[in-house]
Amino acid sequence: MLIIQANNIHESGARYLLLSILKSICAPESNLHSTVFLDQRFDRTLLEGLVDDKRVTIRGVAATVGSRLWSEWAISRLAAKNSGSTLLCLGSIPPLFPCAAEVVLYYQTVLYFKAFRKYIGGLRSLVKLSVEGFWIRARIARVDRIFVQSRLVKDLLCKEFSLDGGSISVMPFADLENLRAVSTPVDSNARMGFFYPALGTPHKNHALLIDAWVILAKQGICPVLLLTIDPRFEQLLAHLEQARNISGIRATNLGLLSHQQVLDQLLASEAMIFPSLCESFGLPLLEARENGLPVIACERDYVREILDPVETFDPESALSIARAVKRFLGIQEQHLTVLAPETLINSIAGKGSGAR
């Protein structure tokens, strides 16, 4: 029996990973049976037509401390009743209670690392991730096997948790067929806009991306920016609206899109722009790669594990982002003209004589 701990999974890349695993479990050639402890915020409509109820049992877990603790205890009890079972912890967190099953941890969240804590937005998120980080530190030594998505995450795990690299396997996985758009590609001359599919969490760096578009607008350059910001990020949406009203940037928030809608938008866009400050993998980069879309990305280690971007930038500089977009558009930057020292002396002397 495979027990899947997904009691903190409901959105973004982790949701896609879970769907890929469930699709594999329910494939005709598979003989696995699984119980999934799933965050109740997960959109259950995504499971329709994918999950065989005879093969997979779903147990909902509310997004409360009490419900999370109950699910951890229930996982421990279920493992004790099913000898030889395996527990897959898909949300980066080991089981809280002793577990009789073989424990496999799939670690895929970099925000638990101290180096990236500065990118966590809000006190509530900081407290939550700090508590869960303590949980990981306290229990990770009891995990039997650890898998990660990238060499970057493996190196960080070894450094932060003093783990032996031999106990960690780099195993990125994806349902590549599901990442390729099924609609007819748009003619390259008709493609328009720079697409950034990300919800709006602080480490996704939307605010600086919008600021870069303001810089471009002040230079009379107005490319289209296409975003997918979740409505719950009201402050970020207000920042976007202000930039549109004051600077006249051409930016549209498409809102929350289905996976197929994201793939369709990839085919209709000029390029993907990806300013995220930290990622364990970067699923949208893989989607862009599989659909042949050029990518303008930040110069961060995680990016080049997936692809080589056509242009790069400093993700902490709006000006650097703007310049990368200009390079992609074929707009040359006006470089400084370096003058001789005499020019400065003559300028000073001329100013002085004029003052007398």
Side-chain angles (χ1 to χ4, degrees), residues 19-335:
L19 289 171
S20 299
I21 288 172
L22 293 178
K23 179 181 177 181
S24 179
I25 290 172
C26 295
E29 62 272 16
S30 170
N31 58 1
L32 277 175
H33 287 78
S34 179
T35 297
V36 183
F37 290 82
L38 183 62
D39 191 319
Q40 283 188 350
R41 294 170 293 180
F42 192 100
D43 182 2
R44 295 286 189 96
T45 62
L46 298 174
L47 303 178
E48 295 174 2
L50 178 70
V51 172
D52 181 352
D53 292 340
K54 296 179 180 179
R55 305 271 290 280
V56 176
T57 301
I58 304 291
R59 294 192 183 183
V61 182
T64 64
V65 174
S67 189
R68 282 285 298 276
L69 291 174
W70 165 82
S71 69
E72 290 295 323
W73 176 249
I75 287 170
S76 177
R77 296 297 300 161
L78 184 61
K81 292 178 181 178
N82 291 271
S83 178
S85 59
T86 298
L87 170 63
L88 172 60
C89 302
L90 198 57
S92 302
I93 300 176
L96 180 61
F97 299 106
C99 185
E102 179 190 27
V103 179
V104 177
L105 176 67
Y106 199 82
Y107 192 98
Q108 39 91 18
T109 307
V110 295
L111 289 176
Y112 292 122
F113 296 125
K114 292 178 181 177
F116 302 121
R117 293 258 177 97
K118 59 184 177 181
Y119 301 133
I120 299 172
L123 180 60
R124 181 177 178 181
S125 295
L126 180 60
V127 170
K128 175 181 178 293
L129 288 170
S130 296
V131 171
E132 290 178 341
F134 177 78
W135 179 340
I136 294 169
R137 291 173 188 278
R139 306 297 299 180
I140 198 166
R142 301 191 181 187
V143 170
D144 295 300
R145 289 190 287 165
I146 301 175
F147 294 93
V148 296
Q149 292 176 297
S150 66
R151 293 182 292 272
L152 169 66
V153 176
K154 177 178 179 177
D155 292 343
L156 289 168
L157 267 177
C158 291
K159 180 180 178 181
E160 185 124 348
F161 299 121
S162 300
L163 297 175
D164 176 13
S167 65
I168 304 172
S169 300
V170 178
M171 190 177 290
F173 68 88
D175 180 2
L176 293 179
E177 183 180 348
N178 193 43
L179 293 183
R180 300 183 186 112
V182 295
S183 54
T184 304
V186 176
D187 183 86
S188 58
N189 295 323
R191 293 188 174 200
M192 185 179 69
F194 293 79
F195 184 39
Y196 183 34
L199 293 178
T201 44
H203 73 280
K204 297 296 185 180
N205 210 18
H206 284 85
L208 205 70
L209 179 61
I210 293 167
D211 292 345
W213 248 248
V214 171
I215 291 173
L216 291 169
K218 288 179 179 178
Q219 298 175 15
I221 303 167
C222 297
V224 173
L225 178 62
L226 302 167
L227 305 171
T228 60
I229 302 173
D230 190 309
R232 72 178 186 266
F233 296 103
E234 296 177 359
Q235 188 173 351
L236 178 59
L237 289 171
H239 179 60
L240 173 62
E241 188 63 27
Q242 183 181 43
R244 277 199 297 237
N245 293 336
I246 296 176
S247 302
I249 66 170
R250 297 172 67 195
T252 300
N253 181 39
L254 303 173
L256 297 177
L257 302 181
S258 69
H259 186 234
Q260 188 56 53
Q261 288 173 322
V262 168
L263 296 180
D264 289 342
Q265 186 58 57
L266 284 174
L267 295 185
S269 301
E270 255 182 287
M272 176 181 287
I273 189 159
F274 208 79
S276 180
L277 293 159
C278 59
E279 298 286 339
S280 64
F281 188 63
L283 181 63
L285 296 176
L286 184 60
E287 291 172 331
R289 189 186 81 182
E290 291 300 308
N291 289 282
L293 186 68
V295 175
I296 304 168
C298 57
E299 193 57 72
R300 285 287 204 255
D301 292 337
Y302 72 85
V303 173
R304 293 189 184 274
E305 295 214 45
I306 304 296
L307 51 73
D308 290 319
V310 295
E311 296 290 348
T312 62
F313 54 80
D314 175 359
E316 301 192 50
S317 166
L319 179 58
S320 181
I321 298 173
R323 285 174 170 169
V325 172
K326 288 171 67 175
R327 290 194 301 272
F328 179 81
L329 294 173
I331 300 172
Q332 287 192 337
E333 190 74 24
Q334 185 174 359
H335 299 133

Side-chain angles (χ1 to χ4, degrees), residues 349-356:
K351 183 177 180 181
S353 59
R356 288 194 297 269

